[in-house]
Amino acid sequence: MTQARIHFEISAPKPASHVFHVSMTIQEPDSQEQLFSLPAWIPGSYLLREFAKNLGPITGRVGDEAITVHKLDRNSWAVRGATGTLTLEYDVYAWDMSVRSAHLDQTHGYYNGTSVCLMAHGFENELHTVDLMAPTDEKCLDWRVATTLKRVSGDKWGFGSFEAPDYDDLVDHPVEMGTFTLTTFEARGVPHHIAITGRHSCDLERLCADLTFICEHQIDMFGELPKMDEYLFQVMAVGNAYGGLEHRSSTSLVCKRDDLPQVGDTEVTEGYRQFLGLCSHEYFHTWNVKRIKPAMFLPYDLSKEAHTTLLWAFEGITSYYDDLCLIRSGRVDTESYLELLGRGATRVYRSYGRHKQSLFDSSFDAWTKFYRQDENAPNAIVSYYTKGALVALALDMRIRKLTADQKSLDDVMQILWERHGKPLVGVPEDGVEKIVEDLVGTDMGDFFDSTLRTTEDISFDDLLEQVGVRFCLRPQENSTDKGGKPSKNKPEDKGCLGARALAGNGGAKLANVYNGGAAEAAGLAAGDIVVALDGLRVTGTDLEDRVAKASVGTELSVHAFRRDELVETTLKVGAPVADTAYFELVEDASDDVVARRNAWLGLKPGS
Ligand code: ZN
């Protein structure tokens, strides 16, 4: 293979030390000063992660002559006076099990290019080539490779040589190596692969069948799959974790192995439903954010924060469609879908910060607030995922109403794809609002102001009526109540602690104390360990439920530790807060209303 002017050789000589070794050659470097940098963040995850912290020393040479590599700042370097092919060598420590960085041991290796591949300034837009070297450790001799990087040599799924037309492409195809399980299905003629790493007993046939429905539904909705030869779901199955990151023709997911469909099971468990929702979410990003992008992201500046107010559209609309696609593709029924919708709304109504932070601000400040949540987060912020999804629902309903069911949010997504995604033209900050207004032919300023730029709650009443659905709020039933369903008991009688407690350190550790609640009034703070309530030991998560059993207004003694000091106080049991949401079908809805609901949910008449 001909090496490009920028060429990487990536190897894993000692997997047990969790280190990838990188040899990078630069032909014709800038002989005065050649700059290099490593991204500080990875697209899709809006936090400066400073991946350079995992790089060992970088050594440089031109031919056999060593040359000094100068460190300039936290993530960039310079080589001066290199007058021939320059080679840099460095190690990358890889021990992060998330989908955002890199991980390596004797069982598998995984990396994102943003963690491993230096960017050579001035060469960003030219061809990059990569040799992925097979490990020589005897425990790793049967490893294979799963990536959508373009292969130029070596067998399919084997080690070999790859290329990327530019740096942006190079770092958008994560690489998995190991002994993963592999299966393939076709969606609208394009091969879609699933590579599962980690111990599991997944029913691959069932997973392929379900993902075919979901992927084809989304392809049909946008009208086409963006141009690609294949798509890859990289799945890491572990005991307990959840997450995903989107890429242009693949996604990296981490999930509980028990959430995968088990051989012999036929029902859609809560865990499997969540996993399908995650796959649906990341796949939807293939259009919405990987190609339809905020203008702020074109091109990405991976050295510093890229602020946009549009994450409500890129994450919120995606979060609305991820579950909607499950019902539209026939994977869940109406009851299950409404439960998902209600659970999402519950997460919004349990964020007291929704009265302090608008969606625009939540998006803009994602870097310092959403991605850096502390004990005060429920009081201070609102999620552009969950509230963004509710805005998307309200927007969809509003568009349907204003156009007498001729148009919907689906049309907005198609227009975004045609105008911005396909030609790769960035979406200006007001771009989504303008497209909607053009589509419906009327000013939507009030709607967008109230939902995006203020902290008002979204008013659903007149919007959901047209599809025969009612939005309801009630108090939380118990500490495990995630919402989504009406209450079986009478939670309006239950007392309220005004805090979230977790088992820890021999009592109940207060994870969050809500502004204006009973715990705050009693002087309790996040981090306090409550050890006794009303003179009886608190063992853990029973704290919230014991307070719930007491009548509103009752005074209970509380003993808690703050650091190592005992605090005694009195808790006046608070009134319950209607912070738990569910959506229910209106009974006796007219045929028109039912037809409209079926059109929204993609149901056949009579189902
Ligand atoms: Zn997302």
Side-chain angles (χ1 to χ4, degrees), residues 202-211 214 256 258-262 265-279 326 331-332:
C202 177
D203 182 343
L204 298 173
E205 214 173 301
R206 185 177 173 203
L207 181 59
C208 283
D210 285 333
L211 287 180
I214 293 166
K256 278 188 195 175
D258 293 344
D259 286 352
L260 296 168
Q262 304 298 300
D265 279 2
T266 51
E267 61 165 339
V268 180
T269 60
E270 210 175 301
Y272 184 39
R273 182 177 69 175
Q274 186 184 40
F275 179 71
L276 288 179
L278 178 65
C279 293
L326 297 188
R331 300 308 90 201
V332 301

PDB file of all heavy atoms in Angstrom, residues 202-211 214 256 258-262 265-279 326 331-332:
ATOM      1  N   CYS A 202     -26.780 -13.417  23.747  1.00  0.00           N
ATOM      2  CA  CYS A 202     -27.747 -12.647  22.966  1.00  0.00           C
ATOM      3  C   CYS A 202     -28.386 -13.510  21.874  1.00  0.00           C
ATOM      4  O   CYS A 202     -27.702 -14.276  21.193  1.00  0.00           O
ATOM      5  CB  CYS A 202     -27.030 -11.454  22.335  1.00  0.00           C
ATOM      6  SG  CYS A 202     -28.081 -10.459  21.283  1.00  0.00           S
ATOM      7  N   ASP A 203     -29.687 -13.343  21.720  1.00  0.00           N
ATOM      8  CA  ASP A 203     -30.411 -13.958  20.609  1.00  0.00           C
ATOM      9  C   ASP A 203     -30.166 -13.077  19.383  1.00  0.00           C
ATOM     10  O   ASP A 203     -30.871 -12.100  19.139  1.00  0.00           O
ATOM     11  CB  ASP A 203     -31.909 -14.023  20.963  1.00  0.00           C
ATOM     12  CG  ASP A 203     -32.728 -14.690  19.867  1.00  0.00           C
ATOM     13  OD1 ASP A 203     -32.229 -14.811  18.729  1.00  0.00           O
ATOM     14  OD2 ASP A 203     -33.869 -15.084  20.169  1.00  0.00           O
ATOM     15  N   LEU A 204     -29.125 -13.437  18.623  1.00  0.00           N
ATOM     16  CA  LEU A 204     -28.675 -12.568  17.522  1.00  0.00           C
ATOM     17  C   LEU A 204     -29.720 -12.445  16.423  1.00  0.00           C
ATOM     18  O   LEU A 204     -29.906 -11.376  15.836  1.00  0.00           O
ATOM     19  CB  LEU A 204     -27.376 -13.120  16.925  1.00  0.00           C
ATOM     20  CG  LEU A 204     -26.190 -13.190  17.889  1.00  0.00           C
ATOM     21  CD1 LEU A 204     -25.025 -13.911  17.237  1.00  0.00           C
ATOM     22  CD2 LEU A 204     -25.745 -11.798  18.331  1.00  0.00           C
ATOM     23  N   GLU A 205     -30.412 -13.539  16.187  1.00  0.00           N
ATOM     24  CA  GLU A 205     -31.415 -13.522  15.122  1.00  0.00           C
ATOM     25  C   GLU A 205     -32.522 -12.522  15.443  1.00  0.00           C
ATOM     26  O   GLU A 205     -32.955 -11.729  14.601  1.00  0.00           O
ATOM     27  CB  GLU A 205     -32.004 -14.924  15.024  1.00  0.00           C
ATOM     28  CG  GLU A 205     -32.388 -15.327  13.621  1.00  0.00           C
ATOM     29  CD  GLU A 205     -32.804 -16.789  13.600  1.00  0.00           C
ATOM     30  OE1 GLU A 205     -31.972 -17.652  13.976  1.00  0.00           O
ATOM     31  OE2 GLU A 205     -33.954 -17.047  13.255  1.00  0.00           O
ATOM     32  N   ARG A 206     -32.939 -12.538  16.702  1.00  0.00           N
ATOM     33  CA  ARG A 206     -34.011 -11.634  17.114  1.00  0.00           C
ATOM     34  C   ARG A 206     -33.530 -10.181  17.081  1.00  0.00           C
ATOM     35  O   ARG A 206     -34.246  -9.289  16.633  1.00  0.00           O
ATOM     36  CB  ARG A 206     -34.455 -12.011  18.538  1.00  0.00           C
ATOM     37  CG  ARG A 206     -35.636 -11.197  18.995  1.00  0.00           C
ATOM     38  CD  ARG A 206     -36.103 -11.641  20.373  1.00  0.00           C
ATOM     39  NE  ARG A 206     -37.123 -10.715  20.844  1.00  0.00           N
ATOM     40  CZ  ARG A 206     -37.413 -10.533  22.116  1.00  0.00           C
ATOM     41  NH1 ARG A 206     -36.775 -11.215  23.050  1.00  0.00           N
ATOM     42  NH2 ARG A 206     -38.344  -9.686  22.465  1.00  0.00           N
ATOM     43  N   LEU A 207     -32.311  -9.963  17.556  1.00  0.00           N
ATOM     44  CA  LEU A 207     -31.776  -8.600  17.551  1.00  0.00           C
ATOM     45  C   LEU A 207     -31.691  -8.068  16.119  1.00  0.00           C
ATOM     46  O   LEU A 207     -32.084  -6.931  15.835  1.00  0.00           O
ATOM     47  CB  LEU A 207     -30.395  -8.584  18.228  1.00  0.00           C
ATOM     48  CG  LEU A 207     -29.716  -7.220  18.329  1.00  0.00           C
ATOM     49  CD1 LEU A 207     -30.571  -6.225  19.109  1.00  0.00           C
ATOM     50  CD2 LEU A 207     -28.338  -7.346  18.981  1.00  0.00           C
ATOM     51  N   CYS A 208     -31.198  -8.906  15.210  1.00  0.00           N
ATOM     52  CA  CYS A 208     -31.107  -8.488  13.797  1.00  0.00           C
ATOM     53  C   CYS A 208     -32.490  -8.163  13.246  1.00  0.00           C
ATOM     54  O   CYS A 208     -32.668  -7.156  12.543  1.00  0.00           O
ATOM     55  CB  CYS A 208     -30.485  -9.596  12.946  1.00  0.00           C
ATOM     56  SG  CYS A 208     -28.706  -9.709  13.138  1.00  0.00           S
ATOM     57  N   ALA A 209     -33.459  -9.001  13.568  1.00  0.00           N
ATOM     58  CA  ALA A 209     -34.813  -8.777  13.032  1.00  0.00           C
ATOM     59  C   ALA A 209     -35.361  -7.449  13.543  1.00  0.00           C
ATOM     60  O   ALA A 209     -35.894  -6.637  12.779  1.00  0.00           O
ATOM     61  CB  ALA A 209     -35.724  -9.936  13.446  1.00  0.00           C
ATOM     62  N   ASP A 210     -35.201  -7.201  14.839  1.00  0.00           N
ATOM     63  CA  ASP A 210     -35.740  -5.956  15.417  1.00  0.00           C
ATOM     64  C   ASP A 210     -35.016  -4.730  14.852  1.00  0.00           C
ATOM     65  O   ASP A 210     -35.649  -3.725  14.522  1.00  0.00           O
ATOM     66  CB  ASP A 210     -35.621  -5.986  16.943  1.00  0.00           C
ATOM     67  CG  ASP A 210     -36.670  -6.899  17.577  1.00  0.00           C
ATOM     68  OD1 ASP A 210     -37.740  -7.079  16.961  1.00  0.00           O
ATOM     69  OD2 ASP A 210     -36.418  -7.433  18.670  1.00  0.00           O
ATOM     70  N   LEU A 211     -33.694  -4.814  14.754  1.00  0.00           N
ATOM     71  CA  LEU A 211     -32.948  -3.652  14.244  1.00  0.00           C
ATOM     72  C   LEU A 211     -33.242  -3.404  12.765  1.00  0.00           C
ATOM     73  O   LEU A 211     -33.226  -2.255  12.308  1.00  0.00           O
ATOM     74  CB  LEU A 211     -31.443  -3.815  14.492  1.00  0.00           C
ATOM     75  CG  LEU A 211     -31.013  -3.644  15.948  1.00  0.00           C
ATOM     76  CD1 LEU A 211     -29.502  -3.818  16.091  1.00  0.00           C
ATOM     77  CD2 LEU A 211     -31.412  -2.276  16.514  1.00  0.00           C
ATOM     78  N   ILE A 214     -36.279  -1.222  12.729  1.00  0.00           N
ATOM     79  CA  ILE A 214     -36.013   0.142  13.214  1.00  0.00           C
ATOM     80  C   ILE A 214     -35.195   0.926  12.175  1.00  0.00           C
ATOM     81  O   ILE A 214     -35.528   2.067  11.836  1.00  0.00           O
ATOM     82  CB  ILE A 214     -35.270   0.077  14.572  1.00  0.00           C
ATOM     83  CG1 ILE A 214     -36.205  -0.501  15.642  1.00  0.00           C
ATOM     84  CG2 ILE A 214     -34.765   1.461  14.989  1.00  0.00           C
ATOM     85  CD1 ILE A 214     -35.505  -0.923  16.926  1.00  0.00           C
ATOM     86  N   LYS A 256     -25.896  -3.330  29.537  1.00  0.00           N
ATOM     87  CA  LYS A 256     -25.921  -4.497  30.414  1.00  0.00           C
ATOM     88  C   LYS A 256     -26.100  -5.730  29.544  1.00  0.00           C
ATOM     89  O   LYS A 256     -26.967  -5.745  28.675  1.00  0.00           O
ATOM     90  CB  LYS A 256     -27.148  -4.428  31.320  1.00  0.00           C
ATOM     91  CG  LYS A 256     -27.033  -3.587  32.538  1.00  0.00           C
ATOM     92  CD  LYS A 256     -28.284  -3.853  33.360  1.00  0.00           C
ATOM     93  CE  LYS A 256     -28.449  -2.795  34.413  1.00  0.00           C
ATOM     94  NZ  LYS A 256     -29.678  -2.937  35.158  1.00  0.00           N
ATOM     95  N   ASP A 258     -27.537  -8.331  30.280  1.00  0.00           N
ATOM     96  CA  ASP A 258     -28.893  -8.857  30.449  1.00  0.00           C
ATOM     97  C   ASP A 258     -29.938  -8.058  29.685  1.00  0.00           C
ATOM     98  O   ASP A 258     -31.083  -8.477  29.568  1.00  0.00           O
ATOM     99  CB  ASP A 258     -29.264  -8.882  31.940  1.00  0.00           C
ATOM    100  CG  ASP A 258     -28.418  -9.893  32.699  1.00  0.00           C
ATOM    101  OD1 ASP A 258     -27.800 -10.752  32.042  1.00  0.00           O
ATOM    102  OD2 ASP A 258     -28.364  -9.808  33.947  1.00  0.00           O
ATOM    103  N   ASP A 259     -29.560  -6.872  29.188  1.00  0.00           N
ATOM    104  CA  ASP A 259     -30.514  -6.088  28.393  1.00  0.00           C
ATOM    105  C   ASP A 259     -30.608  -6.594  26.962  1.00  0.00           C
ATOM    106  O   ASP A 259     -31.556  -6.272  26.244  1.00  0.00           O
ATOM    107  CB  ASP A 259     -30.116  -4.597  28.381  1.00  0.00           C
ATOM    108  CG  ASP A 259     -30.401  -3.921  29.712  1.00  0.00           C
ATOM    109  OD1 ASP A 259     -31.041  -4.567  30.574  1.00  0.00           O
ATOM    110  OD2 ASP A 259     -29.996  -2.755  29.884  1.00  0.00           O
ATOM    111  N   LEU A 260     -29.616  -7.375  26.539  1.00  0.00           N
ATOM    112  CA  LEU A 260     -29.697  -7.956  25.195  1.00  0.00           C
ATOM    113  C   LEU A 260     -30.760  -9.046  25.222  1.00  0.00           C
ATOM    114  O   LEU A 260     -30.983  -9.675  26.258  1.00  0.00           O
ATOM    115  CB  LEU A 260     -28.325  -8.539  24.809  1.00  0.00           C
ATOM    116  CG  LEU A 260     -27.208  -7.493  24.695  1.00  0.00           C
ATOM    117  CD1 LEU A 260     -25.852  -8.176  24.594  1.00  0.00           C
ATOM    118  CD2 LEU A 260     -27.444  -6.590  23.495  1.00  0.00           C
ATOM    119  N   PRO A 261     -31.436  -9.286  24.103  1.00  0.00           N
ATOM    120  CA  PRO A 261     -32.484 -10.317  24.121  1.00  0.00           C
ATOM    121  C   PRO A 261     -31.854 -11.686  24.359  1.00  0.00           C
ATOM    122  O   PRO A 261     -30.870 -12.031  23.713  1.00  0.00           O
ATOM    123  CB  PRO A 261     -33.089 -10.212  22.717  1.00  0.00           C
ATOM    124  CG  PRO A 261     -32.004  -9.636  21.870  1.00  0.00           C
ATOM    125  CD  PRO A 261     -31.210  -8.727  22.766  1.00  0.00           C
ATOM    126  N   GLN A 262     -32.395 -12.421  25.313  1.00  0.00           N
ATOM    127  CA  GLN A 262     -31.805 -13.705  25.667  1.00  0.00           C
ATOM    128  C   GLN A 262     -32.408 -14.814  24.826  1.00  0.00           C
ATOM    129  O   GLN A 262     -33.612 -14.794  24.526  1.00  0.00           O
ATOM    130  CB  GLN A 262     -32.035 -13.992  27.157  1.00  0.00           C
ATOM    131  CG  GLN A 262     -31.516 -12.892  28.084  1.00  0.00           C
ATOM    132  CD  GLN A 262     -30.001 -12.694  27.979  1.00  0.00           C
ATOM    133  OE1 GLN A 262     -29.234 -13.602  28.235  1.00  0.00           O
ATOM    134  NE2 GLN A 262     -29.578 -11.492  27.582  1.00  0.00           N
ATOM    135  N   ASP A 265     -36.152 -16.219  25.053  1.00  0.00           N
ATOM    136  CA  ASP A 265     -37.146 -15.215  25.479  1.00  0.00           C
ATOM    137  C   ASP A 265     -37.860 -14.631  24.269  1.00  0.00           C
ATOM    138  O   ASP A 265     -37.274 -14.500  23.204  1.00  0.00           O
ATOM    139  CB  ASP A 265     -36.455 -14.058  26.219  1.00  0.00           C
ATOM    140  CG  ASP A 265     -36.170 -14.414  27.665  1.00  0.00           C
ATOM    141  OD1 ASP A 265     -36.481 -15.571  28.035  1.00  0.00           O
ATOM    142  OD2 ASP A 265     -35.632 -13.563  28.390  1.00  0.00           O
ATOM    143  N   THR A 266     -39.105 -14.263  24.463  1.00  0.00           N
ATOM    144  CA  THR A 266     -39.828 -13.624  23.357  1.00  0.00           C
ATOM    145  C   THR A 266     -40.359 -12.252  23.743  1.00  0.00           C
ATOM    146  O   THR A 266     -40.659 -11.431  22.889  1.00  0.00           O
ATOM    147  CB  THR A 266     -41.025 -14.485  22.896  1.00  0.00           C
ATOM    148  OG1 THR A 266     -41.793 -14.815  24.051  1.00  0.00           O
ATOM    149  CG2 THR A 266     -40.553 -15.744  22.192  1.00  0.00           C
ATOM    150  N   GLU A 267     -40.498 -12.002  25.051  1.00  0.00           N
ATOM    151  CA  GLU A 267     -41.072 -10.706  25.435  1.00  0.00           C
ATOM    152  C   GLU A 267     -40.052  -9.578  25.300  1.00  0.00           C
ATOM    153  O   GLU A 267     -38.842  -9.813  25.292  1.00  0.00           O
ATOM    154  CB  GLU A 267     -41.609 -10.766  26.872  1.00  0.00           C
ATOM    155  CG  GLU A 267     -40.527 -11.075  27.852  1.00  0.00           C
ATOM    156  CD  GLU A 267     -40.921 -10.792  29.298  1.00  0.00           C
ATOM    157  OE1 GLU A 267     -41.845 -10.007  29.537  1.00  0.00           O
ATOM    158  OE2 GLU A 267     -40.281 -11.374  30.176  1.00  0.00           O
ATOM    159  N   VAL A 268     -40.571  -8.359  25.192  1.00  0.00           N
ATOM    160  CA  VAL A 268     -39.692  -7.196  25.170  1.00  0.00           C
ATOM    161  C   VAL A 268     -39.542  -6.734  26.624  1.00  0.00           C
ATOM    162  O   VAL A 268     -40.413  -6.084  27.178  1.00  0.00           O
ATOM    163  CB  VAL A 268     -40.280  -6.054  24.306  1.00  0.00           C
ATOM    164  CG1 VAL A 268     -39.337  -4.853  24.297  1.00  0.00           C
ATOM    165  CG2 VAL A 268     -40.537  -6.524  22.887  1.00  0.00           C
ATOM    166  N   THR A 269     -38.446  -7.141  27.265  1.00  0.00           N
ATOM    167  CA  THR A 269     -38.235  -6.737  28.658  1.00  0.00           C
ATOM    168  C   THR A 269     -37.947  -5.233  28.697  1.00  0.00           C
ATOM    169  O   THR A 269     -37.632  -4.618  27.676  1.00  0.00           O
ATOM    170  CB  THR A 269     -37.024  -7.463  29.259  1.00  0.00           C
ATOM    171  OG1 THR A 269     -35.873  -7.100  28.474  1.00  0.00           O
ATOM    172  CG2 THR A 269     -37.195  -8.968  29.247  1.00  0.00           C
ATOM    173  N   GLU A 270     -38.018  -4.674  29.892  1.00  0.00           N
ATOM    174  CA  GLU A 270     -37.722  -3.247  30.042  1.00  0.00           C
ATOM    175  C   GLU A 270     -36.287  -2.954  29.588  1.00  0.00           C
ATOM    176  O   GLU A 270     -36.015  -1.949  28.936  1.00  0.00           O
ATOM    177  CB  GLU A 270     -37.903  -2.866  31.508  1.00  0.00           C
ATOM    178  CG  GLU A 270     -38.327  -1.438  31.669  1.00  0.00           C
ATOM    179  CD  GLU A 270     -38.622  -1.116  33.123  1.00  0.00           C
ATOM    180  OE1 GLU A 270     -39.505  -1.770  33.718  1.00  0.00           O
ATOM    181  OE2 GLU A 270     -37.971  -0.203  33.662  1.00  0.00           O
ATOM    182  N   GLY A 271     -35.383  -3.864  29.925  1.00  0.00           N
ATOM    183  CA  GLY A 271     -33.978  -3.672  29.555  1.00  0.00           C
ATOM    184  C   GLY A 271     -33.789  -3.736  28.047  1.00  0.00           C
ATOM    185  O   GLY A 271     -33.050  -2.936  27.469  1.00  0.00           O
ATOM    186  N   TYR A 272     -34.458  -4.686  27.403  1.00  0.00           N
ATOM    187  CA  TYR A 272     -34.301  -4.823  25.948  1.00  0.00           C
ATOM    188  C   TYR A 272     -34.937  -3.617  25.245  1.00  0.00           C
ATOM    189  O   TYR A 272     -34.397  -3.098  24.274  1.00  0.00           O
ATOM    190  CB  TYR A 272     -34.931  -6.134  25.468  1.00  0.00           C
ATOM    191  CG  TYR A 272     -34.724  -6.387  23.988  1.00  0.00           C
ATOM    192  CD1 TYR A 272     -33.512  -6.075  23.365  1.00  0.00           C
ATOM    193  CD2 TYR A 272     -35.737  -6.941  23.203  1.00  0.00           C
ATOM    194  CE1 TYR A 272     -33.320  -6.308  22.004  1.00  0.00           C
ATOM    195  CE2 TYR A 272     -35.552  -7.176  21.843  1.00  0.00           C
ATOM    196  CZ  TYR A 272     -34.344  -6.852  21.253  1.00  0.00           C
ATOM    197  OH  TYR A 272     -34.156  -7.070  19.908  1.00  0.00           O
ATOM    198  N   ARG A 273     -36.055  -3.162  25.778  1.00  0.00           N
ATOM    199  CA  ARG A 273     -36.703  -1.980  25.210  1.00  0.00           C
ATOM    200  C   ARG A 273     -35.753  -0.792  25.293  1.00  0.00           C
ATOM    201  O   ARG A 273     -35.618  -0.005  24.355  1.00  0.00           O
ATOM    202  CB  ARG A 273     -37.996  -1.690  25.989  1.00  0.00           C
ATOM    203  CG  ARG A 273     -38.780  -0.514  25.463  1.00  0.00           C
ATOM    204  CD  ARG A 273     -40.081  -0.325  26.245  1.00  0.00           C
ATOM    205  NE  ARG A 273     -39.835   0.135  27.618  1.00  0.00           N
ATOM    206  CZ  ARG A 273     -40.792   0.460  28.487  1.00  0.00           C
ATOM    207  NH1 ARG A 273     -42.067   0.360  28.133  1.00  0.00           N
ATOM    208  NH2 ARG A 273     -40.499   0.873  29.703  1.00  0.00           N
ATOM    209  N   GLN A 274     -35.064  -0.675  26.413  1.00  0.00           N
ATOM    210  CA  GLN A 274     -34.115   0.426  26.575  1.00  0.00           C
ATOM    211  C   GLN A 274     -32.942   0.271  25.589  1.00  0.00           C
ATOM    212  O   GLN A 274     -32.479   1.254  25.003  1.00  0.00           O
ATOM    213  CB  GLN A 274     -33.590   0.447  28.016  1.00  0.00           C
ATOM    214  CG  GLN A 274     -32.708   1.661  28.282  1.00  0.00           C
ATOM    215  CD  GLN A 274     -32.094   1.645  29.674  1.00  0.00           C
ATOM    216  OE1 GLN A 274     -31.667   0.629  30.181  1.00  0.00           O
ATOM    217  NE2 GLN A 274     -32.067   2.794  30.296  1.00  0.00           N
ATOM    218  N   PHE A 275     -32.481  -0.961  25.391  1.00  0.00           N
ATOM    219  CA  PHE A 275     -31.375  -1.177  24.465  1.00  0.00           C
ATOM    220  C   PHE A 275     -31.789  -0.831  23.032  1.00  0.00           C
ATOM    221  O   PHE A 275     -31.049  -0.179  22.290  1.00  0.00           O
ATOM    222  CB  PHE A 275     -30.872  -2.627  24.550  1.00  0.00           C
ATOM    223  CG  PHE A 275     -29.739  -2.892  23.602  1.00  0.00           C
ATOM    224  CD1 PHE A 275     -28.487  -2.342  23.828  1.00  0.00           C
ATOM    225  CD2 PHE A 275     -29.931  -3.653  22.456  1.00  0.00           C
ATOM    226  CE1 PHE A 275     -27.439  -2.547  22.927  1.00  0.00           C
ATOM    227  CE2 PHE A 275     -28.888  -3.862  21.554  1.00  0.00           C
ATOM    228  CZ  PHE A 275     -27.640  -3.302  21.799  1.00  0.00           C
ATOM    229  N   LEU A 276     -33.000  -1.266  22.645  1.00  0.00           N
ATOM    230  CA  LEU A 276     -33.479  -0.927  21.295  1.00  0.00           C
ATOM    231  C   LEU A 276     -33.618   0.590  21.151  1.00  0.00           C
ATOM    232  O   LEU A 276     -33.318   1.153  20.095  1.00  0.00           O
ATOM    233  CB  LEU A 276     -34.826  -1.603  21.006  1.00  0.00           C
ATOM    234  CG  LEU A 276     -34.791  -3.112  20.776  1.00  0.00           C
ATOM    235  CD1 LEU A 276     -36.207  -3.628  20.523  1.00  0.00           C
ATOM    236  CD2 LEU A 276     -33.879  -3.484  19.613  1.00  0.00           C
ATOM    237  N   GLY A 277     -34.067   1.257  22.221  1.00  0.00           N
ATOM    238  CA  GLY A 277     -34.186   2.720  22.196  1.00  0.00           C
ATOM    239  C   GLY A 277     -32.822   3.373  22.004  1.00  0.00           C
ATOM    240  O   GLY A 277     -32.676   4.350  21.261  1.00  0.00           O
ATOM    241  N   LEU A 278     -31.804   2.792  22.641  1.00  0.00           N
ATOM    242  CA  LEU A 278     -30.436   3.320  22.496  1.00  0.00           C
ATOM    243  C   LEU A 278     -29.936   3.143  21.054  1.00  0.00           C
ATOM    244  O   LEU A 278     -29.391   4.075  20.455  1.00  0.00           O
ATOM    245  CB  LEU A 278     -29.509   2.590  23.484  1.00  0.00           C
ATOM    246  CG  LEU A 278     -28.028   2.967  23.463  1.00  0.00           C
ATOM    247  CD1 LEU A 278     -27.811   4.411  23.891  1.00  0.00           C
ATOM    248  CD2 LEU A 278     -27.217   2.031  24.379  1.00  0.00           C
ATOM    249  N   CYS A 279     -30.156   1.955  20.495  1.00  0.00           N
ATOM    250  CA  CYS A 279     -29.750   1.705  19.092  1.00  0.00           C
ATOM    251  C   CYS A 279     -30.484   2.682  18.173  1.00  0.00           C
ATOM    252  O   CYS A 279     -29.889   3.265  17.255  1.00  0.00           O
ATOM    253  CB  CYS A 279     -30.091   0.277  18.668  1.00  0.00           C
ATOM    254  SG  CYS A 279     -29.150  -0.980  19.532  1.00  0.00           S
ATOM    255  N   LEU A 326     -39.655   3.120  17.790  1.00  0.00           N
ATOM    256  CA  LEU A 326     -39.917   1.765  18.303  1.00  0.00           C
ATOM    257  C   LEU A 326     -41.367   1.380  18.059  1.00  0.00           C
ATOM    258  O   LEU A 326     -41.674   0.250  17.670  1.00  0.00           O
ATOM    259  CB  LEU A 326     -39.604   1.658  19.799  1.00  0.00           C
ATOM    260  CG  LEU A 326     -38.163   1.878  20.241  1.00  0.00           C
ATOM    261  CD1 LEU A 326     -38.013   1.544  21.724  1.00  0.00           C
ATOM    262  CD2 LEU A 326     -37.192   1.035  19.423  1.00  0.00           C
ATOM    263  N   ARG A 331     -42.117  -2.376  17.201  1.00  0.00           N
ATOM    264  CA  ARG A 331     -41.350  -3.095  18.227  1.00  0.00           C
ATOM    265  C   ARG A 331     -42.003  -3.011  19.603  1.00  0.00           C
ATOM    266  O   ARG A 331     -41.746  -3.863  20.457  1.00  0.00           O
ATOM    267  CB  ARG A 331     -39.911  -2.551  18.323  1.00  0.00           C
ATOM    268  CG  ARG A 331     -39.048  -2.652  17.055  1.00  0.00           C
ATOM    269  CD  ARG A 331     -39.012  -4.023  16.465  1.00  0.00           C
ATOM    270  NE  ARG A 331     -40.082  -4.200  15.492  1.00  0.00           N
ATOM    271  CZ  ARG A 331     -40.561  -5.370  15.091  1.00  0.00           C
ATOM    272  NH1 ARG A 331     -40.106  -6.474  15.613  1.00  0.00           N
ATOM    273  NH2 ARG A 331     -41.532  -5.452  14.201  1.00  0.00           N
ATOM    274  N   VAL A 332     -42.770  -1.941  19.882  1.00  0.00           N
ATOM    275  CA  VAL A 332     -43.493  -1.825  21.162  1.00  0.00           C
ATOM    276  C   VAL A 332     -44.929  -1.425  20.851  1.00  0.00           C
ATOM    277  O   VAL A 332     -45.233  -0.927  19.762  1.00  0.00           O
ATOM    278  CB  VAL A 332     -42.850  -0.790  22.128  1.00  0.00           C
ATOM    279  CG1 VAL A 332     -41.415  -1.146  22.441  1.00  0.00           C
ATOM    280  CG2 VAL A 332     -42.941   0.632  21.571  1.00  0.00           C
TER     281      VAL A 332
END
